[in-house]
Amino acid sequence: LLALSLLGLQLYGAFSFVPKLEETERQKRPAYQQMYEWIGRNLPHDAKVLSNRDPVMYLYTGIRGNSMPIMPRPLYLRNYEPALAAFGNVAEYCRSRGFEYFLSTVEDLDRTTENLDINLVLRSVRSNPELIPIHENQAGVLYRVLPKDRKQL
């Protein structure tokens, strides 16, 4: 019975879940490709970008990046305040790690939780005066992070 259950789970993954996931990624790809092409053409090659899709960004642009870790324990306990606070303080996080840019997307929380409203996160990021939007498309918004000693004019 266990073997039959495992086989059923494997078949579901292979013939239902994975094809749906692939189709979703295929639909998103053009917007991300356009964003990465823009980044590759317009940012210095030695720029550092905080992005939750940093491996893919590197493959398309050669520009190094990293993602911001969100600690999972509070999320398992349905405490979303630490994740919201992390995105609210993303400019300081970037400066402390040498990132000059931040790529914000609606998928920033996909690795961590589905229950936190992404619109709360995006609103927090958009309202941050230390982040200057420099390019936007359907994939997201690329921000320049202001240095600590500079204020937006």
Side-chain angles (χ1 to χ4, degrees):
L1 184 60
L2 178 61
L4 190 58
S5 297
L6 292 174
L7 177 63
L9 184 61
Q10 185 69 25
L11 291 173
Y12 166 76
F15 294 108
S16 180
F17 180 76
V18 171
K20 288 177 187 173
L21 183 64
E22 287 175 352
E23 180 58 30
T24 301
E25 286 299 313
R26 197 176 353 238
Q27 291 171 0
K28 296 178 205 172
R29 189 177 306 134
Y32 277 101
Q33 283 178 320
Q34 291 170 1
M35 177 63 81
Y36 298 141
E37 287 170 7
W38 191 93
I39 289 170
R41 283 191 317 269
N42 294 284
L43 294 189
H45 191 68
D46 61 347
K48 292 182 183 170
V49 181
L50 181 69
S51 166
N52 282 325
R53 289 179 150 235
D54 57 303
V56 179
M57 184 185 68
Y58 179 76
L59 289 173
Y60 277 97
T61 67
I63 292 177
R64 297 185 185 273
N66 206 342
S67 62
M68 180 171 55
I70 303 293
M71 295 297 116
R73 187 164 194 268
L75 299 174
Y76 294 144
L77 300 172
R78 299 188 186 273
N79 176 5
Y80 304 117
E81 290 303 316
L84 275 173
F87 282 97
N89 296 321
V90 72
E92 185 57 40
Y93 179 87
C94 286
R95 283 191 294 269
S96 71
R97 285 156 179 81
F99 295 109
E100 303 127 320
Y101 302 92
F102 169 54
L103 178 57
S104 173
T105 74
V106 294
E107 298 178 323
D108 282 343
L109 297 175
D110 280 1
R111 292 185 185 176
T112 53
T113 180
E114 297 174 1
N115 297 323
L116 179 57
D117 184 357
I118 187 63
N119 291 315
L120 292 174
V121 172
L122 295 176
R123 200 171 319 133
S124 173
V125 168
R126 270 189 236 115
S127 66
N128 189 329
E130 298 173 283
L131 299 172
I132 308 303
I134 58 173
H135 184 70
E136 182 172 359
N137 76 357
Q138 292 177 334
V141 181
L142 180 67
Y143 294 93
R144 182 171 53 89
V145 179
L146 287 178
K148 185 75 171 163
D149 58 350
R150 291 196 43 206
K151 297 190 185 250
Q152 182 178 359
L153 300 174

